[in-house]
Coordinates of all heavy atoms in Angstrom, one line a residue:
D1 N 8.4 11.9 0.0 CA 7.5 10.8 0.2 C 7.9 10.0 1.4 O 7.0 9.5 2.2 CB 7.5 9.9 -1.0 CG 6.8 10.6 -2.2 OD1 6.3 11.7 -2.0 OD2 7.0 10.1 -3.3
A2 N 9.2 9.7 1.6 CA 9.7 8.9 2.7 C 9.3 9.5 4.0 O 9.0 8.8 4.9 CB 11.2 8.6 2.6
V3 N 9.4 10.8 4.2 CA 9.1 11.5 5.4 C 7.7 11.3 5.8 O 7.3 10.9 6.9 CB 9.5 13.0 5.4 CG1 9.0 13.7 6.6 CG2 11.0 13.2 5.2
A4 N 6.8 11.4 4.8 CA 5.4 11.2 5.0 C 5.1 9.7 5.3 O 4.3 9.4 6.2 CB 4.6 11.6 3.7
M5 N 5.7 8.8 4.6 CA 5.5 7.4 4.8 C 5.9 6.9 6.2 O 5.4 6.0 6.7 CB 6.1 6.6 3.7 CG 5.5 6.8 2.3 SD 3.8 6.3 2.2 CE 4.0 4.5 2.3
E6 N 6.9 7.6 6.8 CA 7.4 7.2 8.1 C 6.2 7.3 9.1 O 6.2 6.6 10.1 CB 8.5 8.1 8.6 CG 9.9 7.6 8.0 CD 11.0 8.4 8.7 OE1 10.9 9.6 8.7 OE2 12.0 7.7 9.1
R7 N 5.3 8.2 8.9 CA 4.1 8.4 9.8 C 3.1 7.3 9.7 O 2.2 7.2 10.4 CB 3.5 9.7 9.5 CG 4.4 10.9 9.9 CD 3.7 12.2 9.8 NE 3.8 12.6 8.4 CZ 3.2 13.6 7.8 NH1 2.4 14.3 8.6 NH2 3.3 13.9 6.6
L8 N 3.3 6.4 8.7 CA 2.3 5.3 8.5 C 2.7 4.0 9.1 O 2.0 3.0 8.8 CB 2.1 5.1 7.0 CG 1.3 6.2 6.3 CD1 1.4 5.9 4.7 CD2 -0.2 6.1 6.7
T9 N 3.6 4.0 10.0 CA 4.1 2.7 10.6 C 3.0 2.0 11.3 O 3.1 0.8 11.6 CB 5.3 2.9 11.4 OG1 5.0 3.8 12.4 CG2 6.5 3.4 10.6
S10 N 1.9 2.7 11.7 CA 0.9 2.1 12.5 C -0.2 1.4 11.6 O -1.0 0.7 12.1 CB 0.2 3.1 13.4 OG -0.5 4.1 12.6
S11 N -0.1 1.6 10.3 CA -1.0 1.0 9.4 C -0.7 -0.5 9.1 O 0.4 -0.8 8.7 CB -1.1 1.8 8.1 OG -1.9 1.1 7.2
P12 N -1.7 -1.4 9.2 CA -1.4 -2.8 8.9 C -1.4 -3.0 7.4 O -1.0 -4.0 6.9 CB -2.6 -3.5 9.5 CG -3.7 -2.5 9.5 CD -3.0 -1.2 9.8
H13 N -1.7 -2.0 6.6 CA -1.8 -2.1 5.1 C -0.6 -1.4 4.4 O -0.6 -1.4 3.2 CB -3.1 -1.4 4.7 CG -4.3 -2.1 5.3 ND1 -4.8 -3.3 4.9 CD2 -5.2 -1.6 6.2 CE1 -5.8 -3.6 5.6 NE2 -6.1 -2.6 6.4
V14 N 0.3 -0.8 5.1 CA 1.4 -0.1 4.5 C 2.7 -0.7 5.2 O 2.8 -0.7 6.4 CB 1.3 1.4 4.7 CG1 2.5 2.1 4.1 CG2 0.0 1.9 4.2
I15 N 3.7 -1.0 4.4 CA 4.9 -1.6 4.9 C 5.7 -0.4 5.7 O 5.6 0.7 5.3 CB 5.9 -2.2 3.9 CG1 6.3 -1.2 2.8 CG2 5.2 -3.4 3.2 CD1 7.3 -1.7 1.8
N16 N 6.4 -0.8 6.7 CA 7.1 0.2 7.5 C 8.3 0.7 6.7 O 9.0 0.0 6.0 CB 7.6 -0.5 8.8 CG 6.5 -0.8 9.7 OD1 5.6 -0.1 9.8 ND2 6.7 -1.9 10.5
I17 N 8.6 2.0 7.0 CA 9.8 2.6 6.4 C 10.7 3.0 7.5 O 10.3 3.6 8.5 CB 9.4 3.9 5.6 CG1 8.6 3.5 4.4 CG2 10.7 4.7 5.2 CD1 8.3 4.6 3.4
Y18 N 11.9 2.5 7.5 CA 12.9 2.7 8.6 C 13.8 3.9 8.4 O 14.4 4.4 9.3 CB 13.7 1.4 8.7 CG 12.8 0.2 9.1 CD1 12.8 -0.9 8.3 CD2 12.1 0.2 10.2 CE1 12.0 -2.0 8.6 CE2 11.3 -0.9 10.5 CZ 11.2 -2.0 9.7 OH 10.4 -3.1 10.0
G19 N 14.0 4.3 7.1 CA 14.9 5.4 6.9 C 15.0 5.7 5.4 O 14.5 5.0 4.6
F20 N 15.6 6.8 5.1 CA 15.7 7.2 3.7 C 16.9 8.2 3.6 O 17.4 8.8 4.6 CB 14.5 8.0 3.3 CG 14.2 9.2 4.1 CD1 14.6 10.4 3.7 CD2 13.5 9.1 5.2 CE1 14.4 11.6 4.4 CE2 13.2 10.3 6.0 CZ 13.7 11.5 5.6
C21 N 17.5 8.2 2.4 CA 18.6 9.1 2.1 C 18.4 9.4 0.6 O 18.6 8.6 -0.3 CB 19.9 8.4 2.4 SG 21.3 9.5 2.0
G22 N 18.2 10.7 0.3 CA 18.0 11.1 -1.1 C 16.8 10.3 -1.7 O 15.7 10.4 -1.2
H23 N 17.0 9.6 -2.8 CA 15.9 8.8 -3.4 C 15.9 7.4 -2.9 O 15.1 6.6 -3.4 CB 16.0 8.9 -4.9 CG 15.9 10.3 -5.5 ND1 14.7 10.9 -5.5 CD2 16.8 11.1 -6.0 CE1 14.8 12.1 -6.0 NE2 16.1 12.2 -6.3
S24 N 16.7 7.0 -2.0 CA 16.7 5.6 -1.5 C 15.9 5.5 -0.2 O 16.0 6.4 0.6 CB 18.2 5.2 -1.2 OG 18.9 5.2 -2.4
V25 N 15.2 4.4 -0.1 CA 14.4 4.2 1.1 C 14.7 2.8 1.7 O 14.8 1.8 0.9 CB 12.9 4.3 0.8 CG1 12.0 4.0 2.0 CG2 12.6 5.6 0.2
V26 N 14.8 2.7 3.0 CA 15.0 1.4 3.6 C 13.6 1.0 4.2 O 13.1 1.7 5.1 CB 16.0 1.4 4.7 CG1 16.2 0.1 5.4 CG2 17.4 1.9 4.2
T27 N 13.0 -0.1 3.7 CA 11.7 -0.5 4.1 C 11.7 -1.9 4.7 O 12.7 -2.6 4.6 CB 10.7 -0.5 2.9 OG1 11.1 -1.6 2.0 CG2 10.7 0.8 2.2
E28 N 10.6 -2.2 5.4 CA 10.4 -3.6 5.8 C 10.4 -4.5 4.6 O 10.0 -4.1 3.5 CB 9.0 -3.5 6.5 CG 8.4 -4.9 6.8 CD 7.0 -4.7 7.4 OE1 6.4 -3.6 7.3 OE2 6.5 -5.7 7.8
F29 N 10.9 -5.7 4.8 CA 10.9 -6.7 3.7 C 9.5 -7.2 3.5 O 8.9 -7.7 4.4 CB 11.9 -7.8 4.0 CG 12.0 -8.8 2.9 CD1 12.5 -8.5 1.8 CD2 11.5 -10.1 3.1 CE1 12.6 -9.5 0.7 CE2 11.5 -11.1 2.2 CZ 12.1 -10.7 0.9
A30 N 9.0 -7.1 2.3 CA 7.7 -7.6 1.9 C 7.9 -8.7 0.8 O 8.2 -8.3 -0.3 CB 6.9 -6.5 1.4
D31 N 7.8 -9.9 1.2 CA 8.0 -11.0 0.3 C 6.7 -11.6 -0.3 O 6.8 -12.7 -0.9 CB 8.9 -12.0 0.9 CG 8.3 -12.7 2.1 OD1 7.3 -12.2 2.5 OD2 8.8 -13.8 2.5
G32 N 5.6 -11.0 -0.1 CA 4.4 -11.5 -0.5 C 4.2 -11.4 -2.0 O 5.0 -10.7 -2.7
P33 N 3.2 -12.0 -2.5 CA 2.9 -11.9 -4.0 C 2.4 -10.5 -4.4 O 1.8 -9.8 -3.5 CB 1.9 -13.0 -4.3 CG 1.2 -13.2 -3.0 CD 2.2 -12.9 -1.9
R34 N 2.5 -10.1 -5.6 CA 2.0 -8.9 -6.1 C 0.5 -9.1 -6.2 O 0.0 -10.2 -6.4 CB 2.5 -8.6 -7.5 CG 4.0 -8.4 -7.5 CD 4.4 -7.0 -7.6 NE 5.9 -6.9 -7.7 CZ 6.6 -6.1 -6.9 NH1 5.9 -5.3 -6.1 NH2 7.9 -6.0 -7.0
V35 N -0.2 -8.0 -6.0 CA -1.7 -8.0 -6.1 C -2.2 -8.5 -7.4 O -3.2 -9.2 -7.5 CB -2.3 -6.7 -5.7 CG1 -3.8 -6.6 -6.0 CG2 -2.0 -6.4 -4.2
G36 N -1.5 -8.1 -8.5 CA -1.9 -8.6 -9.8 C -1.9 -10.1 -9.9 O -2.8 -10.7 -10.5
T37 N -0.9 -10.7 -9.3 CA -0.8 -12.2 -9.3 C -1.9 -12.8 -8.5 O -2.5 -13.8 -9.0 CB 0.6 -12.6 -8.7 OG1 1.6 -12.0 -9.4 CG2 0.7 -14.1 -8.7
L38 N -2.2 -12.2 -7.4 CA -3.4 -12.7 -6.6 C -4.7 -12.6 -7.3 O -5.5 -13.5 -7.3 CB -3.4 -12.0 -5.2 CG -2.3 -12.2 -4.2 CD1 -2.5 -11.3 -3.1 CD2 -2.3 -13.6 -3.8
A39 N -4.9 -11.4 -8.0 CA -6.1 -11.2 -8.7 C -6.2 -12.2 -9.9 O -7.3 -12.7 -10.2 CB -6.2 -9.8 -9.2
D40 N -5.1 -12.5 -10.6 CA -5.1 -13.4 -11.7 C -5.5 -14.8 -11.1 O -6.3 -15.5 -11.8 CB -3.8 -13.5 -12.4 CG -3.5 -12.3 -13.2 OD1 -4.5 -11.6 -13.5 OD2 -2.4 -12.1 -13.6
K41 N -5.0 -15.2 -10.0 CA -5.3 -16.6 -9.4 C -6.8 -16.6 -9.0 O -7.3 -17.7 -8.9 CB -4.4 -16.9 -8.3 CG -3.0 -17.2 -8.7 CD -2.1 -17.5 -7.5 CE -0.7 -17.8 -8.0 NZ 0.2 -18.2 -6.9
A42 N -7.3 -15.5 -8.6 CA -8.7 -15.4 -8.1 C -9.7 -15.0 -9.3 O -10.8 -14.5 -9.0 CB -8.9 -14.5 -7.0
K43 N -9.3 -15.3 -10.5 CA -10.1 -14.8 -11.6 C -11.5 -15.2 -11.6 O -12.4 -14.4 -11.9 CB -9.4 -15.3 -12.9 CG -10.0 -14.7 -14.2 CD -9.1 -15.0 -15.4 CE -9.5 -14.2 -16.5 NZ -8.6 -14.4 -17.7
N44 N -11.8 -16.4 -11.2 CA -13.2 -16.9 -11.1 C -13.8 -16.9 -9.7 O -14.7 -17.7 -9.4 CB -13.3 -18.3 -11.8 CG -13.0 -18.3 -13.2 OD1 -13.4 -17.4 -13.9 ND2 -12.3 -19.3 -13.7
K45 N -13.2 -16.2 -8.8 CA -13.6 -16.1 -7.4 C -13.9 -14.7 -7.0 O -13.1 -14.0 -6.5 CB -12.5 -16.7 -6.5 CG -12.2 -18.1 -6.8 CD -11.0 -18.6 -5.9 CE -10.6 -20.0 -6.3 NZ -9.3 -20.4 -5.6
P46 N -15.1 -14.2 -7.3 CA -15.4 -12.8 -7.1 C -15.2 -12.3 -5.7 O -14.8 -11.2 -5.4 CB -16.9 -12.6 -7.6 CG -17.4 -14.0 -7.8 CD -16.2 -14.9 -7.9
L47 N -15.6 -13.2 -4.7 CA -15.4 -12.7 -3.3 C -13.9 -12.5 -3.0 O -13.6 -11.6 -2.2 CB -16.1 -13.7 -2.4 CG -17.6 -13.7 -2.4 CD1 -18.1 -14.8 -1.4 CD2 -18.1 -12.4 -2.0
A48 N -13.1 -13.4 -3.5 CA -11.6 -13.2 -3.2 C -11.1 -11.9 -3.9 O -10.3 -11.2 -3.3 CB -10.8 -14.4 -3.8
R49 N -11.6 -11.6 -5.0 CA -11.2 -10.4 -5.7 C -11.7 -9.2 -5.0 O -11.0 -8.2 -4.9 CB -11.6 -10.4 -7.2 CG -10.9 -11.4 -8.0 CD -11.2 -11.4 -9.4 NE -10.0 -10.9 -10.1 CZ -10.0 -10.5 -11.3 NH1 -11.0 -10.5 -12.1 NH2 -8.8 -10.1 -11.8
L50 N -12.9 -9.3 -4.4 CA -13.5 -8.2 -3.6 C -12.6 -7.9 -2.4 O -12.4 -6.8 -2.0 CB -14.9 -8.5 -3.3 CG -15.7 -7.4 -2.7 CD1 -15.8 -6.2 -3.5 CD2 -17.1 -7.9 -2.3
K51 N -12.2 -9.0 -1.7 CA -11.3 -8.9 -0.6 C -10.0 -8.2 -0.9 O -9.6 -7.3 -0.2 CB -11.1 -10.2 0.1 CG -10.2 -10.1 1.4 CD -9.9 -11.5 1.9 CE -9.0 -11.4 3.1 NZ -7.9 -10.6 3.1
I52 N -9.4 -8.5 -2.0 CA -8.2 -7.9 -2.5 C -8.4 -6.4 -2.7 O -7.7 -5.6 -2.2 CB -7.7 -8.5 -3.8 CG1 -7.2 -10.0 -3.5 CG2 -6.6 -7.7 -4.4 CD1 -7.0 -10.8 -4.8
A53 N -9.5 -6.1 -3.4 CA -9.9 -4.7 -3.6 C -10.1 -3.9 -2.3 O -9.7 -2.8 -2.2 CB -11.1 -4.6 -4.5
R54 N -10.8 -4.6 -1.4 CA -11.0 -3.9 -0.1 C -9.7 -3.6 0.7 O -9.5 -2.6 1.2 CB -11.9 -4.8 0.8 CG -12.3 -4.1 2.1 CD -12.7 -5.1 3.2 NE -11.7 -6.0 3.5 CZ -11.8 -7.3 4.0 NH1 -13.0 -7.7 4.2 NH2 -10.8 -8.0 4.3
D55 N -8.8 -4.6 0.7 CA -7.5 -4.4 1.3 C -6.7 -3.3 0.7 O -6.1 -2.5 1.4 CB -6.7 -5.7 1.3 CG -7.3 -6.8 2.2 OD1 -8.2 -6.5 3.1 OD2 -6.9 -8.0 2.1
V56 N -6.7 -3.2 -0.6 CA -6.0 -2.1 -1.3 C -6.7 -0.8 -1.0 O -6.0 0.2 -0.7 CB -6.0 -2.3 -2.9 CG1 -5.4 -1.1 -3.6 CG2 -5.1 -3.6 -3.2
A57 N -8.0 -0.8 -1.0 CA -8.7 0.5 -0.6 C -8.4 0.9 0.8 O -8.2 2.1 1.0 CB -10.2 0.3 -0.9
E58 N -8.3 0.0 1.7 CA -8.0 0.3 3.1 C -6.6 0.9 3.2 O -6.4 1.8 4.0 CB -8.2 -0.9 4.0 CG -9.7 -1.2 4.3 CD -9.9 -2.4 5.1 OE1 -8.9 -3.1 5.5 OE2 -11.0 -2.7 5.4
G59 N -5.7 0.3 2.5 CA -4.3 0.9 2.4 C -4.2 2.3 1.9 O -3.6 3.1 2.5
L60 N -5.0 2.5 0.8 CA -5.0 3.8 0.2 C -5.7 4.8 1.2 O -5.3 6.0 1.3 CB -5.7 3.8 -1.1 CG -4.9 3.2 -2.3 CD1 -5.8 3.0 -3.5 CD2 -3.7 3.9 -2.6
A61 N -6.7 4.4 1.9 CA -7.4 5.3 2.8 C -6.4 5.6 4.0 O -6.4 6.8 4.4 CB -8.6 4.6 3.4
D62 N -5.6 4.7 4.4 CA -4.6 5.0 5.4 C -3.6 6.0 4.9 O -3.2 6.9 5.6 CB -3.8 3.7 5.9 CG -4.7 2.8 6.7 OD1 -5.8 3.2 7.2 OD2 -4.3 1.6 6.9
V63 N -3.1 5.8 3.7 CA -2.2 6.8 3.1 C -2.9 8.2 2.9 O -2.2 9.2 3.3 CB -1.7 6.3 1.7 CG1 -0.9 7.4 1.0 CG2 -0.8 5.1 1.9
H64 N -4.1 8.2 2.5 CA -4.7 9.5 2.3 C -5.1 10.2 3.6 O -5.2 11.4 3.6 CB -6.0 9.3 1.4 CG -5.7 9.2 0.0 ND1 -6.5 9.7 -1.0 CD2 -4.7 8.5 -0.7 CE1 -5.9 9.4 -2.2 NE2 -4.8 8.7 -2.0
G65 N -5.3 9.4 4.6 CA -5.6 10.0 5.9 C -4.4 10.2 6.8 O -4.6 10.3 8.0
I66 N -3.3 10.3 6.3 CA -2.0 10.4 7.0 C -2.0 11.6 8.0 O -1.5 11.4 9.1 CB -0.8 10.5 6.1 CG1 0.5 10.3 6.8 CG2 -0.8 11.8 5.4 CD1 1.7 10.1 5.9
D67 N -2.6 12.7 7.7 CA -2.6 13.8 8.6 C -3.9 13.9 9.5 O -4.0 14.7 10.4 CB -2.5 15.1 7.8 CG -1.1 15.3 7.2 OD1 -0.1 14.8 7.8 OD2 -1.0 15.8 6.1
G68 N -4.8 13.0 9.2 CA -6.0 12.9 10.1 C -7.0 14.1 10.0 O -7.8 14.2 10.8
D69 N -6.8 14.9 8.9 CA -7.7 16.0 8.8 C -8.7 15.9 7.6 O -9.2 16.9 7.2 CB -6.9 17.3 8.7 CG -6.0 17.4 7.6 OD1 -6.0 16.4 6.8 OD2 -5.2 18.4 7.4
D70 N -8.9 14.7 7.1 CA -9.7 14.5 5.9 C -9.3 15.2 4.7 O -10.1 15.4 3.8 CB -11.2 14.8 6.3 CG -11.7 13.9 7.4 OD1 -11.3 12.7 7.4 OD2 -12.6 14.3 8.1
R71 N -8.1 15.7 4.7 CA -7.6 16.4 3.5 C -6.4 15.6 3.0 O -5.4 15.5 3.6 CB -7.2 17.8 3.7 CG -8.4 18.7 4.1 CD -8.0 20.1 4.4 NE -6.8 20.5 3.6 CZ -6.2 21.6 3.9 NH1 -6.5 22.4 4.8 NH2 -5.1 21.9 3.1
P72 N -6.5 14.9 1.8 CA -5.3 14.2 1.3 C -4.1 15.0 1.2 O -4.1 16.1 0.7 CB -5.8 13.7 -0.1 CG -7.2 13.7 -0.1 CD -7.6 14.9 0.9
S73 N -3.0 14.5 1.7 CA -1.7 15.3 1.7 C -0.6 14.5 1.0 O 0.5 14.8 1.1 CB -1.3 15.7 3.1 OG -1.1 14.6 3.9
F74 N -1.0 13.3 0.5 CA 0.0 12.5 -0.1 C -0.4 12.2 -1.6 O -1.5 11.8 -1.8 CB 0.0 11.1 0.7 CG 1.2 10.3 0.4 CD1 2.5 10.5 0.9 CD2 1.1 9.2 -0.6 CE1 3.5 9.7 0.7 CE2 2.2 8.4 -0.9 CZ 3.4 8.7 -0.2
V75 N 0.5 12.4 -2.4 CA 0.3 12.2 -3.9 C 0.9 10.9 -4.3 O 2.1 10.7 -4.0 CB 0.8 13.4 -4.7 CG1 0.6 13.2 -6.2 CG2 0.2 14.7 -4.2
H76 N 0.2 10.1 -5.1 CA 0.8 8.9 -5.7 C 0.4 8.9 -7.1 O -0.8 9.2 -7.5 CB 0.4 7.6 -4.9 CG -1.1 7.5 -4.7 ND1 -2.0 7.2 -5.7 CD2 -1.8 7.8 -3.6 CE1 -3.2 7.2 -5.2 NE2 -3.1 7.6 -3.9
L77 N 1.3 8.4 -8.0 CA 1.0 8.4 -9.4 C 1.1 7.0 -10.0 O 0.8 6.8 -11.2 CB 2.0 9.3 -10.1 CG 1.9 10.8 -9.7 CD1 3.0 11.6 -10.4 CD2 0.6 11.4 -10.0
D78 N 1.5 6.0 -9.2 CA 1.8 4.7 -9.7 C 1.1 3.6 -9.0 O 1.7 2.5 -8.8 CB 3.3 4.5 -9.7 CG 3.9 4.6 -8.4 OD1 3.3 5.0 -7.4 OD2 5.1 4.3 -8.3
I79 N -0.1 3.8 -8.5 CA -0.8 2.7 -7.9 C -1.4 1.8 -9.0 O -2.2 2.2 -9.8 CB -2.0 3.2 -7.0 CG1 -1.5 4.1 -5.9 CG2 -2.8 2.1 -6.5 CD1 -0.5 3.4 -4.9
N80 N -0.8 0.6 -9.0 CA -1.3 -0.4 -10.0 C -1.0 -1.8 -9.4 O -0.2 -1.9 -8.4 CB -0.7 -0.2 -11.4 CG 0.8 -0.4 -11.4 OD1 1.3 -1.4 -11.1 ND2 1.5 0.7 -11.8
P81 N -1.6 -2.9 -9.9 CA -1.3 -4.2 -9.3 C 0.1 -4.6 -9.2 O 0.5 -5.4 -8.4 CB -2.1 -5.1 -10.2 CG -3.2 -4.3 -10.8 CD -2.5 -2.9 -11.0
A82 N 1.0 -4.1 -10.1 CA 2.4 -4.4 -10.0 C 3.1 -3.8 -8.9 O 4.2 -4.2 -8.5 CB 3.1 -4.1 -11.4
N83 N 2.6 -2.7 -8.4 CA 3.2 -1.9 -7.3 C 2.6 -2.2 -5.9 O 3.0 -1.5 -5.0 CB 3.2 -0.4 -7.6 CG 4.0 -0.1 -8.8 OD1 4.9 -0.8 -9.2 ND2 3.7 1.1 -9.4
V84 N 1.7 -3.1 -5.8 CA 1.1 -3.4 -4.5 C 1.4 -4.9 -4.2 O 1.2 -5.8 -5.0 CB -0.4 -3.2 -4.5 CG1 -1.0 -3.5 -3.2 CG2 -0.7 -1.8 -5.0
V85 N 2.0 -5.1 -2.9 CA 2.4 -6.4 -2.5 C 1.5 -6.8 -1.3 O 1.1 -6.0 -0.5 CB 3.9 -6.4 -2.0 CG1 4.3 -7.7 -1.5 CG2 4.7 -5.9 -3.1
S86 N 1.1 -8.1 -1.4 CA 0.3 -8.6 -0.3 C 1.3 -9.1 0.8 O 2.2 -9.8 0.6 CB -0.5 -9.8 -0.8 OG -1.2 -10.4 0.3
V87 N 1.1 -8.6 2.0 CA 1.9 -9.0 3.2 C 1.1 -9.7 4.2 O -0.1 -9.6 4.3 CB 2.7 -7.8 3.7 CG1 3.7 -7.4 2.8 CG2 1.8 -6.7 4.2

């Protein structure tokens, strides 16, 4: 996964990965709030929630388009509000 993610450094929606060793990854520091927290705060603000959803969708599109051939080559099993950080 880390090798594939290194190719995403040009995406504004994905944090940079600087290196990896085994199962450890050195990434850009992302100190923003979790998306779940943002969605909870925007509970009665549908446009704000829509913007959050759009930003997550754009990030996923960047990940899925990593090879530029319209064929997803990256598998993720844990996309949920707790695993997405706003930067």
Side-chain angles (χ1 to χ4, degrees):
D1 292 349
V3 174
M5 293 298 288
E6 277 187 313
R7 293 183 278 172
L8 285 171
T9 57
S10 63
S11 171
H13 302 287
V14 181
I15 61 171
N16 291 327
I17 293 183
Y18 299 118
F20 60 93
C21 180
H23 294 289
S24 299
V25 179
V26 178
T27 66
E28 170 184 8
F29 180 68
D31 65 345
R34 302 254 181 227
V35 169
T37 303
L38 291 175
D40 288 344
K41 288 182 179 180
K43 192 170 189 173
N44 295 321
K45 300 175 184 172
L47 289 179
R49 293 186 111 189
L50 186 59
K51 181 184 179 314
I52 293 167
R54 184 198 64 203
D55 290 345
V56 171
E58 287 177 357
L60 288 173
D62 288 344
V63 170
H64 283 218
I66 194 170
D67 290 326
D69 60 3
D70 295 329
R71 291 179 36 191
S73 58
F74 194 82
V75 176
H76 49 77
L77 302 172
D78 59 351
I79 299 297
N80 64 63
N83 291 341
V84 179
V85 177
S86 176
V87 291

